[in-house]
Amino acid sequence: MQMLQLLVSHTPIWVWVLLAFLVTRGINAMKPGETSLSKLAIVPALFTVWGVWSINARYPASWEAWALWVVGNAAGAGVGWILLRRLKLRVESSTGKLWRGADYSLLPLLLLTFVVKYGFESALAMSPALAADGGFRTAHLLLSGGFTGIFIGKYCRYLVASRSPAQDTLAPVG
């Protein structure tokens, strides 16, 4: 319990603000509604920035770190694309806004992603030597990249669907 208190007390305020923002986004996504591509880009951008910062801070000038993160991103993007295969999406021609169906996968994914990334970053902050451990580094970068990729893949699915000439939904895949 004391370790948990120490961890929480040493966590910067911005991390808690980020968590509150992510929870709010996840809850809002459970309701169908109107949105824009720019709003949908916020979460993938946040996790991408966090990943890039982490690689630069924890593994400076490491091509291997970048390669692992990119591989994780690619795999995650495929998962993100598949997660939205049945989500309904319409583009309002008058406003250019997107109307999307409820996305029940977002909140659990946001929470899981936050916990995993927070856990790795906390472990590295408490024990910087872990960055040199091959297994830890591989798990950190593949998972970090993978979770980031999920949000990128979901965004790409929205982007492609919004650019389709005739669309009432993201094409359901059997």
Side-chain angles (χ1 to χ4, degrees):
M1 187 61 144
Q2 190 175 9
M3 179 66 130
L4 183 60
Q5 288 174 333
L6 186 63
L7 189 62
V8 169
S9 69
H10 283 81
T11 299
I13 297 293
W14 71 265
V15 173
W16 302 120
V17 171
L18 175 62
L19 178 59
F21 171 76
L22 295 174
V23 167
T24 302
R25 290 301 290 255
I27 290 170
N28 289 340
M30 288 187 209
K31 298 173 270 197
E34 195 174 77
T35 191
S36 66
L37 284 172
S38 59
K39 281 187 180 180
L40 292 170
I42 293 171
V43 168
L46 283 172
F47 284 122
T48 298
V49 168
W50 191 356
V52 169
W53 171 85
S54 184
I55 292 171
N56 286 328
R58 309 295 187 195
Y59 313 101
S62 170
W63 66 268
E64 178 197 20
W66 284 104
L68 287 168
W69 192 72
V70 167
V71 166
N73 251 283
V79 170
W81 183 271
I82 290 167
L83 284 173
L84 293 185
R85 72 185 179 275
R86 297 187 189 274
L87 188 69
K88 294 180 185 275
L89 176 74
R90 284 192 323 264
V91 177
E92 286 294 324
S93 56
S94 60
T95 64
K97 294 273 189 177
L98 301 170
W99 187 92
R100 52 139 190 86
D103 180 358
Y104 297 104
S105 69
L106 188 61
L107 181 60
L109 277 170
L110 288 171
L111 293 175
L112 182 59
T113 301
F114 180 87
V115 166
V116 167
K117 291 176 84 60
Y118 180 82
F120 277 114
E121 292 300 332
S122 297
L124 285 163
M126 291 188 300
S127 181
L130 284 172
D133 179 89
F136 182 90
R137 182 176 57 248
T138 299
H140 174 216
L141 293 164
L142 287 175
L143 286 170
S144 175
F147 282 114
T148 299
I150 289 172
F151 299 108
I152 291 171
K154 289 176 86 167
Y155 180 76
C156 288
R157 185 80 172 201
Y158 280 121
L159 187 62
V160 167
S162 74
R163 304 276 191 250
S164 298
Q167 52 145 63
D168 294 320
T169 63
L170 285 173
V173 175

